């Protein structure tokens, strides 16, 4: 058996064995493509009322937010969109919304999309069987298996004869005489046009699935791989620890004044996050200014303000805000969703997931015709020759 046939049969067997799980991952991947934007569209909005006509100061909101996550590094997030509530968060999924007019916490279940996206994420991560379950292991195995399917598929896609007539059938949809020929054409065309985003999405998924894969990537980058699951109380939410001021809290520069200064740093800011200080008399306060979607390290900077003078104590650009290991870990995490490249990246990841559905379907159809259909074909009866 030739090397190409060995690769082909391995590609086919692995695809059939993991196809249903891959289909589930691709389907939920499509559903989760614009999760952040859809959730934001259904987030509760805030506006002045007859009872609360003015927005509270950042200092008053800080007093409300400080007890929200005791003992954790939390951030108080203000948005350029004035209709969005202020949020206090400690990690990706731990956040509480505050109405900046009344100061009341907004119930978390007020977003009707929360349950749907929660279900999609559970299926995507562990087939809705729970953390560290058999479903979780199946997802991890299927991630690595799918990466093999893609890489072996690249090899099998290469035409044996580099002629335009052969190549055209593998990069453009053609009108085919049979269903088998159509599926063969679609399988190659879809894989050709999405191979780059697919490698990025599935490869990062494999790295997130297994520590050994994580180790390989970080070793290739010349870095020490982080061990274990990230505790994730905000990858950048870390106070610089400027100590405690000898001045009483009421003599320190207000958080509102610091927020006003931060708003003037970047005219196109989207989010300004104040790292909640552990003490009312903290000498400095760290403010993260984000002009992107919150997942792109290159769009963020941290400014440390001296609360005694109100002056800038230090500025950290994207390259200084995290170690190379932290930056790579963050990049891999949001490469999987495409969010590291903004809306364009999300869209490409979603298109790749959608194409996957067709790849699984056409792959199963081709495997059925090769392996199962022949079993049901009537065998030709031998003919008797007359002598």
């Amino acid at each position: 058996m030739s090397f190409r046939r060995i690769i082909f049969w391995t590609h086919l067997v692995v695809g059939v064995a993991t196809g249903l799980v891959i289909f589930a991952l691709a389907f939920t991947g499509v559903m989760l493509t614009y999760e952040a934007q859809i959730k934001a569209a259904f987030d509760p909005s805030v506006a002045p009322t007859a009872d609360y006509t003015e927005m509270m100061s950042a200092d008053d909101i800080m007093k409300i937010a400080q007890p929200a996550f005791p003992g954790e590094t939390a951030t108080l997030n203000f948005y350029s969109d004035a209709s969005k509530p202020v949020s206090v968060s400690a990690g990706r999924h731990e956040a509480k919304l505050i109405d900046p007019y009344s100061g009341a916490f907004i119930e978390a279940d007020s977003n009707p999309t929360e349950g749907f996206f929660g279900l999609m994420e559970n299926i995507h991560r562990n087939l809705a069987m729970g953390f560290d379950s058999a479903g979780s292991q199946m997802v991890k195995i299927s991630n690595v298996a799918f990466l093999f399917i893609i890489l072996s598929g690249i090899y099998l896609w290469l035409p044996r004869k580099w002629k335009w007539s052969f190549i055209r059938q593998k990069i453009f949809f053609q009108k085919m005489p049979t269903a088998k020929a159509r599926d063969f054409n679609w399988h190659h065309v879809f894989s050709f046009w999405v191979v780059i985003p697919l490698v990025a999405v599935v490869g990062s998924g494999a790295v997130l699935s297994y520590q050994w894969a994580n180790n390989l990537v970080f070793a290739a980058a010349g870095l020490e791989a982080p061990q274990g699951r990230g505790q994730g109380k905000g990858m950048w939410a870390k106070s610089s620890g400027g100590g405690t001021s000898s001045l009483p809290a009421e003599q320190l520069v207000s958080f509102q004044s610091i927020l006003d200064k931060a708003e003037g740093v970047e005219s196109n800011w989207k989010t300004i996050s104040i790292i909640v200080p552990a003490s009312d008399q903290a000498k400095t306060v760290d403010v993260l200014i984000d002009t992107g979607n919150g997942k792109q390290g290159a769009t963020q900077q941290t400014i440390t303000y001296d609360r005694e003078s109100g002056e800038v104590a230090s500025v950290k650009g994207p390259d200084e805000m995290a170690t190379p290991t932290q930056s790579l870990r963050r990049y891999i995490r949001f490469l999987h969703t495409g969010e590291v490249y903004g809306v364009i990246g999300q869209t490409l990841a979603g298109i790749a997931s959608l194409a996957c559905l067709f790849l699984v379907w056409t792959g199963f159809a081709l495997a059925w015709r090769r392996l199962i259909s022949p079993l049901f074909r009537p065998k030709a009866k031998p003919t008797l020759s007359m002598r």
Side-chain angles (χ1 to χ4, degrees):
M1 185 179 290
S2 68
F3 178 74
R4 187 180 182 90
R5 287 191 65 79
I6 292 173
I7 295 296
F8 167 78
W9 281 106
T10 308
H11 178 91
L12 186 150
V13 171
V14 173
V16 169
T18 60
L20 291 179
V21 177
I22 292 172
F23 189 91
L25 296 179
F27 177 78
T28 52
V30 173
M31 295 296 103
L32 292 167
T33 300
Y34 298 113
E35 176 187 6
Q37 288 86 348
I38 295 173
K39 276 186 175 180
F42 284 91
D43 268 340
S45 59
V46 295
T49 64
D51 295 327
Y52 304 100
T53 58
E54 293 185 3
M55 189 176 291
M56 299 172 66
S57 71
D59 297 79
D60 292 333
I61 297 175
M62 180 70 74
K63 291 176 183 177
I64 297 169
Q66 275 179 325
F69 295 102
E72 299 182 35
T73 301
T75 59
L76 187 60
N77 309 297
F78 297 86
Y79 302 94
S80 57
D81 183 352
S83 67
K84 295 186 67 172
V86 175
S87 71
V88 55
S89 60
R92 182 169 178 248
H93 293 289
E94 298 180 77
K96 297 181 180 181
L97 303 179
I98 302 173
D99 185 333
Y101 292 96
S102 67
F105 282 99
I106 300 171
E107 292 298 323
D109 60 358
S110 57
N111 190 323
T113 66
E114 199 72 43
F116 171 77
F117 285 117
L119 174 61
M120 291 297 103
E121 286 188 7
N122 281 334
I123 296 174
H124 195 76
R125 291 174 177 174
N126 49 57
L127 302 181
M129 295 183 188
F131 172 71
D132 228 8
S133 63
S136 177
Q137 297 305 315
M138 290 169 65
V139 167
K140 292 179 180 180
I141 292 170
S142 296
N143 266 323
V144 176
F146 196 18
L147 183 58
F148 166 79
I149 292 170
I150 295 169
L151 297 178
S152 59
I154 293 173
Y155 172 77
L156 294 171
W157 183 94
L158 297 174
R160 298 186 184 188
K161 296 180 179 180
W162 286 90
K163 293 183 178 180
W164 174 243
S165 58
F166 290 96
I167 297 173
R168 183 179 58 188
Q169 295 180 19
K170 293 191 173 187
I171 64 175
F172 295 118
F173 293 109
Q174 307 282 319
K175 186 176 181 180
M176 294 296 180
T178 65
K180 179 180 179 181
R182 178 205 63 202
D183 291 339
F184 183 86
N185 173 241
W186 284 20
H187 198 72
H188 285 78
V189 172
F190 276 115
S191 60
F192 173 79
W193 289 108
V194 301
V195 65
I196 294 176
L198 204 54
V199 168
V201 171
V202 178
S204 56
V207 172
L208 293 169
S209 296
Y210 287 107
Q211 186 63 49
W212 59 263
N214 199 50
N215 293 342
L216 284 175
V217 170
F218 279 84
L223 300 171
E224 183 178 350
Q227 301 298 311
R229 295 176 60 87
Q231 298 306 307
K233 301 306 180 186
M235 290 189 184
W236 309 114
K238 187 175 181 180
S239 174
S240 59
T244 303
S245 173
S246 58
L247 297 176
E250 58 270 15
Q251 293 184 21
L252 296 174
V253 175
S254 68
F255 289 110
Q256 183 61 50
S257 296
I258 290 172
L259 177 61
D260 292 339
K261 288 175 180 286
E263 288 178 351
V265 173
E266 292 283 354
S267 60
N268 60 334
W269 67 276
K270 300 290 179 59
T271 309
I272 292 179
S273 303
I274 300 176
I275 312 301
V276 178
S279 167
D280 290 338
Q281 291 178 270
K283 189 175 181 179
T284 61
V285 62
D286 297 310
V287 179
L288 186 150
I289 303 172
D290 192 343
T291 58
N293 61 9
K295 317 294 173 56
Q296 303 160 287
T299 64
Q300 300 174 338
Q301 62 176 310
T302 295
I303 300 178
T304 301
Y305 289 94
D306 187 317
R307 293 190 65 209
E308 293 182 344
S309 65
E311 299 300 318
V312 174
S314 66
V315 178
K316 289 183 179 179
D319 295 336
E320 302 169 286
M321 288 173 57
T323 65
T325 295
Q326 291 172 326
S327 296
L328 180 55
R329 185 173 191 169
R330 182 187 181 98
Y331 179 83
I332 292 170
R333 164 67 185 85
F334 295 115
L335 178 64
H336 186 62
T337 61
E339 291 171 294
V340 73
Y341 294 113
V343 175
I344 293 176
Q346 287 178 264
T347 303
L348 288 175
I351 291 173
S353 297
L354 181 61
C356 259
L357 300 178
F358 289 95
L359 290 174
V360 174
W361 170 46
T362 54
F364 271 132
L366 291 168
W368 176 273
R369 293 189 183 94
R370 178 178 285 270
L371 300 176
I372 307 300
S373 290
L375 301 178
F376 296 96
R377 290 175 188 161
K379 295 181 179 179
K381 295 181 180 180
T383 57
L384 297 175
S385 58
M386 300 296 294
R387 296 197 177 188

